[in-house]
Amino acid sequence: MLIFSNILQIQNHLTKLKSEGSIIGFVPTMGALHDGHLSLIKKSISENDSTVVSIFVNPTQFDDSNDLLTYPKDIEKDIALIKSISENTVLFKPDSYEIYSGEIKSDEFNLNGLDKYMEGECRGNHFQGVATVVNKLLSIVKPDHVYFGEKDFQQLRIIENLVLDQKFDTKVVRCKTVRSSDGLALSSRNKKLSFSSAKIATNLFKALNFAKEKFNTLDAIEIEKKVIEQLSAHSEIQLEYFAIADEETLEPLLIKKNKKYRAFIAAYVSGVRLIDNKKLY
Ligand code: PAF
């Protein structure tokens, strides 16, 4: 496996691959890889000639410095996991200086209102930080395909919008959320949960299933009320939001208009912030 930390060096390598006609797939990550990431990497390997994985914990997308400090990191394990899938991938693991040239701050993108609700409301500048780093990474790698999981659905929509707006010649590939057998969506943050908290966290998935089950019979407000009621029975869960929103615009559902809706949830479980979502059609 080739490992690069330097932008010019990876660009030279990728230019050579592209000149030989290689189709490039790209999986941007913040490391602490789990089966969800590995499924993205496998999909990219199966659909491209070469796959680039990046590992970079992006400081500008953290609204909480403690969250950044305690974000799980295990680069040796990550490298071993990627190698266990294929020795043929390219790993890009730049440091902050390489990406931000000493000025760690977000650029300003027009996110077309996709950052107005849910995570955007709760996490300040988070999505400008995500857009900034994804814009930089796509400009470096210039992949044919880039892979993102639907667990971070709002992020996925914001990146789809960014790719269109910035006219990248890259197709964004949506990938299904990978879950543990009890329904918990895989996330690097799950590493911070104790065994019992991980069990309690499955109530978020249960709430989304409840929303799907009742979507045709109850209105969105009633579903939200019942979800709040159900989750308040667990003292370890602090619900941040539950929302039913249009999948395209992410606007909250007011009146059903035959659109594609999703239920979204964010909560602290024993102090660990988790998000999840499920389509309702
Ligand atoms: O989803 C993530 O891991 C990050 O937000 C991303 C897209 C790699 C940007 O830092």
Side-chain angles (χ1 to χ4, degrees), residues 28-30 56 58 61 130 133-134 148 152 155 159:
T29 80
M30 296 208 298
F56 177 63
N58 172 36
Q61 72 187 75
V130 170
V133 78
V134 172
F148 290 100
D152 298 296
Q155 165 175 285
I159 291 167

Side-chain angles (χ1 to χ4, degrees), residues 115-128:
D115 59 335
K116 209 165 145 195
Y117 307 103
M118 303 183 291
E119 293 301 284
E121 242 180 324
C122 297
R123 298 192 64 193
N125 206 42
H126 170 68
F127 284 127
Q128 289 295 348

Side-chain angles (χ1 to χ4, degrees), residues 38-50:
L38 302 189
S39 77
L40 305 183
I41 298 172
K42 284 180 191 155
K43 191 166 169 60
S44 174
I45 290 172
S46 73
E47 294 178 357
N48 300 279
D49 300 313
S50 294

